[in-house]
Amino acid sequence: MSTEAVVQSTPARKVVIAGVMGALAIFLGWTHLGFIPWVAGAALTIMHVPVIIGAVLEGPIVGTAIGLIFGLFSLLQATLAPTGPVDVWFQNPVISVLPRLFIGVVAWLGYKALRKVNEPLALAVAGILGTLTNTVLVLGTIGLFGHLPWAALPPIAIANGLPEAVLAAILTVAVVVAWKRIETGARKSRM
Amino acid sequence: MEPLIRVDNIRYTYPAGTGKPALTDVSLSIGAGEYVAIVGANGSGKSTLARHLNALLVPDQGDVWVNGWNTRDRAHIRDIRRTVGMVFQVPDNQIVATIVEDDVAFGPENLGIPEDELPARVREALAAVGLEEHGHRASHLLSAGQKQRLAIAAALAMRPLCLVLDEATAMLDPAGKADLLRIVRRLHRSGTTIVAVTHSMSEALEADRVIVLAEGRIVMDGTPAQVFADAESLERYGLDVPPAARLAHLLAAHWPDFPRHLLDAEALADAVCRHLSLGAHVRTTHPLAATDTGGQPVLPPDASGQAPYIALEDVHYTYLAGTPLETRALRGVSMDIRPGETIAIIGPTGSGKSTLLQHLNGLLRPHAGRARVLGVDLTDPRADVRALRRRVGLVFQQPEAQLFERYAGDDVAFGPLAFGSSLEQARERVRRAMEAVGLPFETYKDRLTLTLSGGERRRLALAGVLALEPQVLVLDEPTAGLDPRGRNDLLALLRRWRDADRAIVFSSHNMDDVALLADRVYIIAEGRIAHAAPVREAFSAPESLVGFGLGLPTAMTFAQALARRGCPIPTDLLTLEELAHAIVRLADERIRV
Amino acid sequence: MSASEFDLLRTVTLGQYLPTGSALHRADPRVKIASGILLVVAVTATSSLAGLTLAFALVIAGFAVARIPIAYALSGIKPMLPFLALLGIFQAIAIPQNDANTTVYWRWAFITLTARDAVAVALLFAKFSVLVWGISLLSFTTSTTALTHGTEHLLRPLQRIGLPAHEFALMVNIALRFVPLLAQETERLMKAQASRGADFGAGRRLNFVQRFRKLLPLLIPLILATLQRAEDLILAMEARCYTGGKGRTHLVRFRAQASDYAILALVLIVLAATVAAGFTSADATVWRIVSTVWR
Ligand SMILES: Nc1ncnc2c1ncn2[C@@H]1O[C@H](COP(=O)(O)OP(=O)(O)OP(=O)(O)O)[C@@H](O)[C@H]1O
Ligand SMILES: Nc1ncnc2c1ncn2[C@@H]1O[C@H](COP(=O)(O)OP(=O)(O)OP(=O)(O)O)[C@@H](O)[C@H]1O
Ligand SMILES: [Mg+2]
Ligand SMILES: [Mg+2]
């Protein structure tokens, strides 16, 4: 059930949503607010969630644009303010930029396929698919460049990618449901 | 002749809203060169109407015609929008470019104005708002007042025939407001049509015509004199008459022949003087109550013997120390606040009010100096500030920033739950807090916070703090952006909340709030306390206030106007009720003589 | 003086631009941006140490012209040195080079340090240095505004073939403008929550679920508030007739000088050489000499 509005998309809307969601990705990365420490010194990231939200709200082109900002930012950050050895790999735009261009498109496709069935479900799927796109493509390009042996990749994909997908799904659903004032029918206030 | 704007029986419902129409059967015409004020309670549809005037919204039914073009006609959308320029409420949210000049050029660039002509347009628009010196500055480094002037320049660069201002002055200090109004007045004189949405009845007086909206309908439309004559209707719509009219009504209650329809201070002062000399023989019909103090603050119990709740001594605070953006926000602030007191902190924009208030619950700790709040020493790094925060409730400047749960009830419960209340205890506290601010628990607890009106959000934010049952309440500009009724309700609520064991500290740009609520006033300027005095005393040295870009309470402005006419009226009166009382007593004394 | 726990703005100050008023500062931003992009491409594409040395010389020359002390750029590279060392070791361990043709310098258990490893690490280090210094030079000599305007103008030809160059530049501009606003918004939210009992105090170690739990009531209102702001900005832009890049004119115009063409030509030649060196035997020659010396 949804009382969702049909907001007409205009050039201004597309540019602004892309800009502010790009800003959010930059902000999350810059302040490290978007990193959640995980096992063994690794960190989970939710920096790509703005890309997914933007794609769901404004479509694949906006999603790709936010992905581009996200990618360029990680390229710059890896180059100008590196914090770990892995950053050296991300100085290669094929690893840091290219994979990010596909997050939005895949998330949007997932959302579009399922939104008629159940909107919150579609949002969760968008969050998961978007995240997995990021994980698989980034690790894939890292493998291609031979930075890591192929055998090392699947465990990383599972250890990082899956929990990140869950976090992204939770955030995407929470934000978009609140923004579009979608009635989830579940509980109301706890009070 | 065809008017510049014709709104023809429109109706509009937000697609994502509650389903209730935001505008119903609205019709009006605005002629070229008019100055129209739109007033109405929070949520009455003012912004919605304003957005119909340049095709940002298109009606569901009915038509809007601008300069002969229908706003439904997408082919003329540019013509319509360049004819009617818009300025919005929040300064930061309407700046597109990082450099002032680029921002002004944004509109003309979109219109495809030839590139040779652009620099001249930008210069001309910046000159019109007095920002010609700032063309190359970064737009985000301007002050709030300058940002709003930039927004006007950006609209002017498209050379509009009409300018719509949607609460453009709401977030400015008195000096910034006065600047903006002066600019608007000048534009109007040079032929620009002005439509101004406002909550300030004094600002509405600037217009030739006032339109009152209530629940999406136009309920009054006429000259200020006509509209403000009907005080009862205005009150029903959650509005107020301008202060001069309020005073005239108060006086007319005693002197039936006193003219009620006076709108500005000067006319009122003339009338009072006339009445005092001519009508001295007329006896008042109602004897005055002995002490009708109305909204006057209760005098604090003599608390000088008690230990202060809050004691600041030479407090310094610097933001972003050691970076190029370093700002020394506090440079030696000392104050004592005792139980039972209500303290107002006033000062121009950027003087450090918010910074100071954030010290009171330990959000910020002094970089130098000493600060004790309810016995907690904030300079001690081990001080338990979290426990302090339960006893000192802080309500922020923007209520939007402090609602973070989806449902209203959950939001109020945030504090009690964070401090470890059980769900049951929390529910009880939430119920009490919500009832106290006038949001019935059962009706409001399941409302989505995103769909609440501005006034409701403000109350909910206050409830969230009251649910902690604090001893000291700290409020940062609590009445900004509220409609007159919301403001009166809030002030009444705060007056009820006060008692001998509690203290209130608030900042405000509105001197009437200060006069109505505060016992003592601290004037802060450039991070230092420039003056501290009981409220009456603080306002009786008006030169110092004006020097800091601050105004006077309206009652004092009137008293001064009277004093200038040789009327022996005391000039330290805080409220209109007190002033009316003094005027009537003056007349009575003359009769006796 | 202690930083407040809410002091987010500190971490997001863009203090890169160093106006020394040099010729390079005054150069056409389009040329500088194009050079930066070419540098990234060339450095990524080449695998020749000799080529990288050429590119490096170009960047150093740039620093000299810009009158920016090399030490400035050095400070950016210092924190990376331990990581690079680690990476070198990693390379030696994880990627065994079972290639009989390479000289083995050192062998311990399964770890072998071969000439090929040494080359790989040296390459990595050289690429890294050239990139960091090149991009630093660009940001030291070009203001943010010049960067966005320059990018837009540079991409304008792409507009003709339907790529949204103007939209991209505007989007980046908006993004850069919103980052500090987001910092402010977050600070406000954290303060409001702390005022009502939320505990952001550093020091206590939180596990991962606790951290995420704490982050959610901050992130969700932050994103919603950002979207709300975005709605305001959309209205403001539409009220000012924004309908996309088509038919727009521009207040800022650039006119390339002869010196700008000269810079571009120099950069093109050097970087072409950088890439070309990867296909020649320049490196092999260099390595033969190095290996001989080692023995
Ligand atoms: N974007 C929106 N989506 C859904 N409902 C909205 C939206 N904007 C406003 N409304 C609703 O429409 C009604 C009129 O709102 P409007 O903003 O025009 O009021 P206003 O008179 O400008 O109030 P204020 O003084 O608070 O600015 C309100 O009930 C409001 O809740
Ligand atoms: N979080 C912050 N980071 C950096 N500088 C700040 C911050 N908050 C305030 N400042 C700066 O500190 C000074 C004092 O600001 P403060 O907000 O205390 O003033 P104010 O009196 O509350 O102003 P206003 O009336 O506009 O609310 C200003 O120059 C402001 O720009
Ligand atoms: Mg409004
Ligand atoms: Mg303030």
Side-chain angles (χ1 to χ4, degrees), chain B residues 42 89-90 170-171 394-405 411 439 449-450 452-465 475-482 490, chain C residues 185 188-189 192-193 196 221 225 228:
Chain B
N42 287 120
Q89 181 175 353
V90 186
M171 297 182 67
L394 174 58
V395 184
F396 282 81
Q397 206 163 335
Q398 291 95 344
E400 303 78 280
Q402 51 185 0
L403 303 182
F404 16 77
E405 296 280 355
D411 198 88
L439 298 175
T449 48
L450 267 180
L452 295 177
S453 81
E456 289 166 342
R457 284 188 197 191
R458 188 66 57 107
R459 289 168 195 226
L460 191 70
L462 183 57
V465 171
L475 305 110
D476 203 352
E477 306 199 19
T479 60
L482 283 184
L490 183 68
Chain C
E185 196 87 52
R188 267 208 294 271
L189 277 166
Q193 296 189 358
R196 283 161 65 186
Q228 194 67 56

Side-chain angles (χ1 to χ4, degrees), chain B residues 78 81 92-95 102-103 106 109-110 113 115 321 358 361 367 386 389 401-402 404 411 415, chain C residues 2 10 145 149 177 189 191 193-197 229 232-233 238 240 243 248-251 253:
Chain B
R78 280 177 176 228
R81 289 185 179 160
D92 271 317
N93 298 0
Q94 46 190 324
I95 295 173
D102 291 348
D103 194 63
F106 184 74
E109 285 176 344
N110 290 333
I113 303 295
E115 301 197 333
Q358 287 169 25
N361 74 344
H367 286 153
R386 205 167 152 254
R389 284 175 195 153
Q402 51 185 0
F404 16 77
D411 198 88
Chain C
S2 67
R10 180 186 295 273
T145 339
H149 281 305
R177 223 178 66 67
L189 277 166
K191 281 180 170 171
Q193 296 189 358
S195 294
R196 283 161 65 186
R229 259 182 204 280
D232 279 9
L233 183 59
E238 289 185 346
R240 283 151 76 184
T243 48
R248 282 190 99 234
T249 49
H250 299 266
L251 178 67
R253 281 180 285 180

